[in-house]
Amino acid sequence: MTKPAVDFWFDFASTYSYLAAARIRTLAADMKVAITFRPFLLGPIFKTQGWDTSPFNLYPAKGRYMWRDLERQCADQGLPLKRPDPFPQHSVLAARVALIGLGQDWGDDFCVNVFRAQFGEGRSISEPATLAAVLADLNVVAEPVLAAAQADDNKARLRTQTEDAARYNIFGAPSFTTSDGELFWGNDRLEQALAWARRLG
Amino acid sequence: MTKPAVDFWFDFASTYSYLAAARIRTLAADMKVAITFRPFLLGPIFKTQGWDTSPFNLYPAKGRYMWRDLERQCADQGLPLKRPDPFPQHSVLAARVALIGLGQDWGDDFCVNVFRAQFGEGRSISEPATLAAVLADLNVVAEPVLAAAQADDNKARLRTQTEDAARYNIFGAPSFTTSDGELFWGNDRLEQALAWARRLG
């Protein structure tokens, strides 16, 4: 019997992925489910739906609601919230750096901390200096990591990861998948995804 | 101190409103919150967002996901699920009849039963015969009710109800509002809406 496992798919620009990232490790540990962090880019997926930016910007009523809902959810989870400007942030560099870290031992921490820097502190994650500061907090020397992140082979890995997301029919973030191909969308489905994985395990 | 209260906004064509309608009365009774059922039409609201049908039809990946998610949610809630064809159903007649019932004493039961006929049994709620059968089950004589539903004053009431929904910035269904103007969207936010109302009460 293998340990139950869930893949956690997110774009760093996604507000509800901040909520999921902040709680997934504790929840998964409690339920004895292994989590694989899988950053990808929503942009190419949104494009296939005809969107050139976040639906929260395209549909103002939905966007206003999202920010208010996020305030309430952050309050319930005890998380800080400071809206980054602009929204959405360009997330490609953060995702590339995350892939480097996920091949080493600091990837999950980096992801959680990038979300917190962006949505908890309102910092700009498109700026290399912000990512370098997050790396420094983890005692990772930033310069070689940022260089490796921007190398062609790593850029290709992020494209592949995004293609994998599309193959799972992922259309938003956060999403969760299990080994039988089941898809769960949204922070609100995290518990259900973990429970599903346990039933398979 | 007044009793805590929540307005429950829904379009009869909305799949997730089926889930909410099936459980809202029990949950609200447990939490001692008064519920007002408020049917409205999503169509005019979707039109202001540039949509001429359900977003679940406009965005196929989202639509496929919704039906699978609905299966899982129905299984968890112990609800039957049979997909109506076509989807979405024309919901205007059901909403007009509901408004008549909500002015009498059979409105809430009618709403819950129309959802169940449509999504639990796959019946066509755009057909007067289906609504007449639901009314008969409630021992309501259908013919005068269907006539009153289609009278000009009642049609105007449904338009007003839909304008009220827009004024609350409602953009989807189900939605829940409280007396301080707070908006909660989605079956997943029902518990939070009830708790919010209690804090105000």
Side-chain angles (χ1 to χ4, degrees):
Chain A
M1 190 174 134
T2 55
K3 187 175 178 184
V6 163
D7 280 7
F8 168 34
W9 299 85
F10 55 91
D11 183 310
F12 278 108
S14 152
T15 49
Y16 288 104
S17 297
Y18 168 45
L19 302 181
R23 67 197 193 99
I24 193 169
R25 293 191 292 183
T26 304
L27 272 178
D30 288 350
M31 295 182 69
K32 298 187 176 27
V33 175
I35 302 294
T36 303
F37 279 53
R38 302 199 64 174
F40 72 104
L41 297 181
L42 271 174
I45 288 173
F46 282 170
K47 267 204 190 98
T48 67
Q49 299 181 172
W51 299 342
D52 60 0
T53 181
S54 164
F56 297 126
N57 289 350
L58 292 171
Y59 304 109
K62 201 170 176 127
R64 273 193 306 273
Y65 173 78
M66 181 276 286
W67 289 109
R68 177 61 184 140
D69 185 50
L70 193 69
E71 277 180 357
R72 293 188 308 234
Q73 297 299 110
C74 282
D76 282 359
Q77 282 188 226
L79 287 177
L81 176 60
K82 187 169 173 189
R83 184 170 166 169
D85 180 28
F87 174 83
Q89 296 267 303
H90 289 293
S91 56
V92 60
L93 181 58
R96 288 174 180 162
V97 172
L99 287 181
I100 301 294
L102 291 165
Q104 302 180 18
D105 63 353
W106 48 269
D108 295 4
D109 287 334
F110 175 80
C111 293
V112 171
N113 292 2
V114 165
F115 275 117
R116 191 163 181 120
Q118 180 187 198
F119 292 115
E121 300 164 22
R123 286 155 72 192
S124 172
I125 63 159
S126 63
E127 288 173 27
T130 303
L131 302 181
V134 172
L135 290 169
D137 281 345
L138 297 171
N139 296 314
V140 176
V141 180
E143 205 175 314
V145 167
L146 290 170
Q150 298 286 52
D152 284 346
D153 63 330
N154 194 58
K155 290 180 178 177
R157 286 172 66 206
L158 182 57
R159 279 195 296 275
T160 301
Q161 182 102 308
T162 298
E163 288 160 10
D164 287 349
R167 221 174 345 257
Y168 273 106
N169 296 311
I170 287 172
F171 57 90
S175 288
F176 311 98
T177 56
T178 49
S179 59
D180 59 342
E182 196 78 13
L183 170 65
F184 301 84
W185 172 51
N187 179 50
D188 296 322
R189 290 290 176 276
L190 172 52
E191 285 84 352
Q192 195 181 30
L194 295 171
W196 193 274
R198 277 181 67 92
R199 262 180 286 170
L200 298 175
Chain B
M1 188 172 134
T2 55
K3 185 174 179 185
V6 163
D7 280 8
F8 168 34
W9 300 85
F10 55 90
D11 183 310
F12 279 107
S14 154
T15 49
Y16 288 103
S17 297
Y18 168 46
L19 302 181
R23 68 198 193 99
I24 193 167
R25 293 192 292 185
T26 305
L27 271 179
D30 288 349
M31 295 183 70
K32 299 186 176 26
V33 175
I35 302 295
T36 303
F37 279 53
R38 302 199 65 174
F40 72 104
L41 297 181
L42 271 175
I45 288 174
F46 282 169
K47 267 206 191 96
T48 67
Q49 300 181 168
W51 299 341
D52 59 0
T53 182
S54 164
F56 297 125
N57 289 351
L58 292 171
Y59 304 109
K62 202 172 174 124
R64 273 193 306 274
Y65 173 78
M66 181 276 286
W67 288 110
R68 177 61 185 140
D69 185 51
L70 194 70
E71 278 179 357
R72 292 189 309 235
Q73 297 299 110
C74 283
D76 281 359
Q77 282 188 226
L79 287 176
L81 176 61
K82 187 171 174 188
R83 186 170 167 167
D85 182 27
F87 173 83
Q89 296 267 303
H90 289 292
S91 55
V92 60
L93 181 59
R96 287 174 181 162
V97 173
L99 286 181
I100 300 293
L102 292 165
Q104 301 181 18
D105 63 354
W106 47 268
D108 295 4
D109 286 335
F110 175 81
C111 293
V112 171
N113 292 2
V114 166
F115 275 117
R116 192 165 181 116
Q118 181 188 195
F119 293 115
E121 300 164 21
R123 286 154 71 191
S124 173
I125 62 160
S126 63
E127 286 173 29
T130 303
L131 302 181
V134 172
L135 290 168
D137 281 346
L138 297 171
N139 297 314
V140 176
V141 181
E143 203 175 317
V145 167
L146 290 169
Q150 299 286 52
D152 285 344
D153 63 330
N154 193 58
K155 291 180 178 177
R157 286 173 65 207
L158 182 57
R159 278 194 298 273
T160 300
Q161 182 102 309
T162 298
E163 288 160 9
D164 287 349
R167 221 176 344 260
Y168 274 105
N169 297 311
I170 287 171
F171 57 90
S175 289
F176 312 97
T177 56
T178 49
S179 58
D180 60 341
E182 197 78 12
L183 170 64
F184 301 84
W185 172 51
N187 179 50
D188 295 321
R189 290 288 177 277
L190 173 52
E191 286 84 352
Q192 195 180 29
L194 295 171
W196 193 275
R198 278 181 65 93
R199 263 180 284 169
L200 298 175

